[in-house]
Amino acid sequence: MSFAAREEIRLASRDLGDGLRQTELTVPGIRCAGCIGKIEKGLLESAEVRQARVNLSTKRVRVAWSGDSTPDLIQALDRLGFTAHLTEPEAERKDPELTRLIRALAVAGFTSMNIMLLSVSVWSGADAQTRHAFHAISAVLALPCLIYSGQIFFRSAWSALRRGRTNMDVPISVGVLLAFAMSVYDTLHNGPHAYFDAVTSLIFFLLIGRTLDHLMREKARTAVSGLARMAPRGATVVAADGAREHRPIEEIEPGMRIALAAGDRVPVDGVVESGASDLDCAVVTGESAPRRVEPGATVQAGVLNLTGPLILTASARAEDSFLAEMTRLMAAAEDGRAGYRRIADRAAALYSPVVHSVAFLTFLGWMAVAGDWRQAITVAIAVLIITCPCAMGLAAPIVQVMAARRLFENGVMVKDGAGLERLARIDVVAFDKTGTLTLGRPRLVNAGSLAPEHLAIASALAQGSNHPVSRAVVAASPYPAPLLSDVREDAGLGVEGRIDGAIWRLGRADWALTADQAQDIEGTVLSCDGRLSAALIFEDALRPDAAEAIRRLRAKGLDILILSGDQTPVVEATAKALGVETFSARLLPSEKVERLNALAAEGRRVLMVGDGLNDAPALSAAHVSMAPGDAADIGRNAADFVFLNPSLNSIELALDVARETEKLVRQNFALSILYNAIALPIAILGHVTPLVAALAMSLSSIVVVGNALRLKAGRRDAVKSQMNVPARRASTTKAVA
């Protein structure tokens, strides 16, 4: 066991006092009583362990230990033949809402089944005395269901009514209470009918739908909370004198040096300072193939170090790490209010007054026709129950939750749930070039032909920018950088600074040079007081499978175009390599926005894909937007989707899921409308009892949930195999940049 792993166990343990600490481990391999005895006896052989208790039902081991040395609990269990890991605090906490729903469901299920058995005897022609006795027993059995299970709906209805509004639980509560009250009245007066079976069955089936909805949402959220648990609780910090100290993750600051052993997870974003290893980056990219890292490589929090020790330099705090940001993005997936969800919300808001009015008019109509108030109330109750809009309320959100989950499993983060609806309707895909179609790692190819003083000054200017071209200049310069003053960056143009009063600029030729000198020059240049000092030439590699991804998007009927701020020869070469006919070069960020607005004015719906360095305004202006996971923070924040896999086939995946989501939502709305169109007239005509109404309404909700589950049944492996096609030999584009 590594030093870091020992400290993880100590940090995860609880202080019991008197030098005694307690650690809880999850051991999935516990199967029987024999396993319990083997584990408890084996752990007690350790000198530090004072007590070991195994819980077979939860498959957990609770170990009490003492001493200055942390016991090798995980290794001890491994020697016994059991794989173990620390029990996560998040997993230890139970969901109180789910617990409440399951208990309420159990009570409702027990009472409804027993009352249904009694009702069978009544329906079979029991005599008046037996019928009265069975009705009385049913009333007693229904009370716990009404009081305990029904409170979930009653509290919601009362909360809405006390604020002067209604919700879908109001008519449900009214129908349940009316049916129960009328059944009690008929029981007391030895009436022939009672609807205790309808009351309890309605609550039971409603709770089934509500519990299913909650479980599906929690399953999606479990993936998000699982991301947070990818980061360890602490890290081994290496001091300047070489001393090592294990610190909690909250104390890790940028600039600290972190020792990472094989088998440890990266605690925070950082840069490899020394060592080489293979990393399992599945949590970041969705790819199972290990990634080789060496000094200078960037690593993200949560990835697993597989083969060798590394020394990292932290570049962000835990709360600012890539993993934390992905967790926040995924958690926000349900916040978007898509058009379909707004329609469902408005329908649910209109539902209560409309259905109450219809039920009241039905009561008056039956009173006028039949003159029997019991029958009139029974039909009105059936109308209230059968038209419950649960199915319509679930139609859109349940599908969106499943869509976000499916995309997350394939390495696409959904930042805005409404983006799924917009993505399904696009007809144009606009790509930025640098960092999107290319890997964003350009290389300065003519560094050897530049004057050393010019390359040094260019490097000094480039240090004030995070643009890939600037990083390439810094990487290519072996010379010490001179001191600059008044350094500033103009987005999309370049970097400016002063040396001995002279103004030096590194950036676009039309910005860095005077008008007369810039006439015949394109690309990135170094200038002094507007005069050309050096022209810089770069080359960059295309993303793997970029051409294949564009071909597949075009096959779906989408128009493809490139909007780039790079020089014309480079953009033209990239477009030719990818088979894209429409492209625009030398665009400023504002000009990209103008192009997108012009397309929108023509009625086109554009998906903008950019890395965010100069694309944040365009990402915000587009109909819908996506950014790669290695994009700048501002780009990830502006985009509706973030794809973590380096392959651009993630765009096709997201588009397919979005279109399938829209299809399923439309189907759910159609099913809900069709159900109400058929059920409501039948209920008004008196052909439906409250019990049948409860069964029909619950069935409509289950059908909608089942239809949404078809999205999760999508062929994930087939999609991922498309995303993991072996990379072709990287193409490059080369010109004056």
Side-chain angles (χ1 to χ4, degrees):
M1 175 181 286
S2 69
F3 172 77
R6 288 175 180 270
E7 289 303 310
E8 288 285 328
I9 289 179
R10 180 172 286 275
L11 285 170
S13 64
R14 186 157 54 96
D15 191 353
L16 302 179
D18 297 327
L20 199 64
R21 304 186 73 88
Q22 180 176 288
T23 302
E24 190 164 6
L25 302 169
T26 297
V27 187
I30 300 176
R31 306 292 182 194
C32 59
C35 299
I36 295 176
K38 184 177 180 180
I39 289 174
E40 290 181 349
K41 182 179 178 181
L43 289 175
L44 287 171
E45 292 177 357
S46 174
E48 297 92 348
V49 175
R50 300 290 176 263
Q51 187 182 58
R53 289 289 181 267
V54 177
N55 188 317
L56 179 60
S57 60
T58 61
K59 299 186 183 299
R60 291 180 180 176
V61 180
R62 187 169 294 164
V63 184
W65 53 276
S66 62
D68 297 331
S69 175
T70 304
D72 296 347
L73 300 177
I74 294 178
Q75 281 194 4
L77 286 167
D78 184 65
R79 287 193 295 268
L80 295 171
F82 296 92
T83 300
H85 57 82
L86 290 171
T87 300
E88 301 291 349
E90 293 87 347
E92 201 170 6
R93 294 193 216 107
K94 292 184 178 179
D95 180 4
E97 178 64 18
L98 180 60
T99 302
R100 188 164 68 104
L101 284 170
I102 291 176
R103 287 176 178 171
L105 182 64
V107 171
F110 174 80
T111 56
S112 64
M113 285 187 289
N114 282 278
I115 292 174
M116 193 68 70
L117 289 173
L118 296 174
S119 299
V120 170
S121 300
V122 174
W123 297 339
S124 300
D127 57 49
Q129 188 173 1
T130 302
R131 181 186 65 213
H132 180 71
F134 281 5
H135 282 171
I137 295 172
S138 298
V140 174
L141 287 172
L143 271 175
C145 178
L146 197 73
I147 294 171
Y148 183 76
S149 303
Q151 66 176 319
I152 291 176
F153 309 102
F154 301 154
R155 286 180 177 177
S156 172
W158 175 245
S159 177
L161 290 173
R162 64 189 293 190
R163 290 171 173 79
R165 56 183 179 83
T166 60
N167 60 17
M168 65 177 64
D169 289 332
V170 172
I172 291 172
S173 301
V174 171
V176 165
L177 292 174
L178 277 176
F180 182 79
M182 191 176 71
S183 299
V184 170
Y185 178 88
D186 284 341
T187 300
L188 293 175
H189 292 81
N190 201 22
H193 301 293
Y195 298 104
F196 297 113
D197 49 1
V199 170
T200 54
S201 296
L202 173 63
I203 293 175
F204 177 60
F205 285 111
L206 279 173
L207 285 171
I208 287 177
R210 199 153 291 191
T211 304
L212 281 174
D213 179 42
H214 185 84
L215 282 170
M216 291 173 71
R217 293 176 186 273
E218 281 305 307
K219 192 169 184 180
R221 294 187 186 106
T222 298
V224 181
S225 60
L227 273 178
R229 293 197 293 271
M230 288 294 181
R233 295 180 180 86
T236 302
V237 176
V238 182
D241 59 359
R244 300 193 174 197
E245 177 186 3
H246 198 84
R247 294 192 182 185
I249 193 70
E250 297 81 10
E251 297 181 9
I252 305 301
E253 298 288 343
M256 287 185 174
R257 300 170 70 236
I258 299 170
L260 200 68
D264 291 345
R265 286 198 178 271
V266 177
V268 295
D269 294 352
V271 179
V272 177
E273 180 181 308
S274 63
S277 180
D278 293 322
L279 301 183
D280 179 357
C281 301
V283 66
V284 174
T285 65
E287 288 189 334
S288 57
R291 169 193 163 205
R292 186 70 177 174
V293 293
E294 296 176 344
T298 58
V299 294
Q300 288 85 25
V303 303
L304 181 64
N305 183 25
L306 295 176
T307 55
L310 297 173
I311 299 295
L312 311 177
T313 301
S315 59
R317 293 177 56 85
E319 61 266 26
D320 301 322
S321 69
F322 181 82
L323 188 65
E325 183 183 351
M326 291 300 101
T327 303
R328 289 191 292 268
L329 287 180
M330 187 62 187
E334 289 186 68
D335 292 342
R337 308 301 292 174
Y340 283 128
R341 293 190 68 169
R342 289 192 292 270
I343 291 172
D345 291 344
R346 286 196 294 267
L350 291 173
Y351 160 78
S352 293
V354 170
V355 170
H356 284 147
S357 301
V358 171
F360 182 67
L361 291 174
T362 301
F363 170 77
L364 294 179
W366 275 92
M367 282 294 294
V369 172
D372 186 346
W373 68 270
R374 288 186 181 87
Q375 186 179 11
I377 289 181
T378 300
V379 176
I381 291 172
V383 170
L384 283 172
I385 293 174
I386 206 167
T387 54
C388 173
C390 294
M392 183 167 289
L394 289 171
I398 203 68
V399 179
Q400 287 188 334
V401 168
M402 298 309 299
R405 166 77 180 191
R406 182 172 164 191
L407 287 173
F408 168 75
E409 290 174 344
N410 286 278
V412 180
M413 314 298 292
V414 184
K415 182 182 175 184
D416 183 4
L420 282 167
E421 183 180 331
R422 298 196 301 273
L423 180 61
R425 301 176 181 179
I426 64 165
D427 52 15
V428 179
V429 182
F431 288 95
D432 174 49
K433 185 188 73 68
T434 305
T436 305
L437 293 173
T438 66
L439 293 175
R441 295 193 289 270
R443 184 173 64 91
L444 182 61
V445 296
N446 67 331
S449 63
L450 299 177
E453 62 273 17
H454 288 159
L455 186 55
I457 294 173
S459 175
L461 288 167
Q463 290 175 11
S465 170
N466 197 38
H467 194 281
V469 167
S470 297
R471 294 198 295 266
V473 173
V474 174
S477 175
Y479 310 112
L483 293 177
L484 297 172
S485 61
D486 301 331
V487 179
R488 65 181 182 86
E489 181 178 12
D490 287 348
L493 298 175
V495 187
E496 176 184 287
R498 290 178 179 269
I499 300 178
D500 297 330
I503 299 177
W504 289 84
R505 285 183 171 182
L506 175 68
R508 291 169 55 125
D510 56 358
W511 171 77
L513 303 175
T514 58
D516 59 325
Q517 290 209 359
Q519 290 179 357
D520 301 320
I521 300 177
E522 285 190 358
T524 301
V525 301
L526 176 70
S527 71
C528 179
D529 291 330
R531 297 186 303 274
L532 178 65
S533 297
L536 286 69
I537 302 175
F538 299 88
E539 67 177 15
D540 196 359
L542 293 175
R543 279 186 181 267
D545 306 321
E548 174 68 11
I550 288 176
R551 185 191 65 78
R552 298 173 72 95
L553 291 172
R554 188 181 285 111
K556 292 181 178 294
L558 301 174
D559 292 334
I560 309 296
L561 59 100
I562 298 175
L563 302 179
S564 176
D566 217 335
Q567 67 276 11
T568 303
V570 174
V571 179
E572 183 177 6
T574 301
K576 184 177 181 180
L578 297 175
V580 178
E581 298 177 357
T582 306
F583 62 89
S584 298
R586 299 172 58 81
L587 295 178
L588 295 173
S590 59
E591 292 173 330
K592 291 184 181 181
V593 174
E594 290 175 3
R595 295 293 177 92
L596 293 174
N597 290 338
L599 288 169
E602 297 172 6
R604 311 300 299 273
R605 297 184 178 95
V606 183
L607 164 64
M608 179 69 198
V609 186
D611 69 343
L613 289 165
N614 297 310
D615 300 320
L619 292 171
S620 299
H623 184 69
V624 65
S625 55
M626 296 184 73
D630 54 3
D633 293 345
I634 188 172
R636 295 200 299 265
N637 291 332
D640 299 306
F641 298 84
V642 176
F643 61 92
L644 308 181
N645 195 293
S647 172
L648 291 177
N649 279 319
S650 299
I651 301 171
E652 183 194 10
L653 165 66
L655 178 61
D656 288 344
V657 172
R659 288 180 173 176
E660 191 175 352
T661 299
E662 183 178 49
K663 178 182 176 182
L664 291 177
V665 170
R666 287 177 181 269
Q667 290 176 357
N668 280 349
F669 274 123
L671 289 170
S672 302
I673 294 171
L674 179 64
Y675 160 77
N676 281 284
I678 296 173
L680 183 58
I682 295 176
I684 292 174
L685 292 174
H687 298 309
V688 178
T689 66
L691 176 60
V692 174
L695 293 173
M697 182 279 303
S698 301
L699 182 61
S700 69
S701 297
I702 293 173
V703 167
V704 166
V705 172
N707 194 44
L709 285 172
R710 291 170 54 204
L711 185 63
K712 184 170 178 58
R715 297 188 62 186
R716 176 187 173 191
D717 291 339
V719 173
K720 293 202 77 171
S721 67
Q722 295 170 9
M723 296 171 66
N724 293 332
V725 175
R728 297 181 178 87
R729 186 174 181 178
S731 301
T732 60
T733 58
K734 182 174 180 179
V736 177

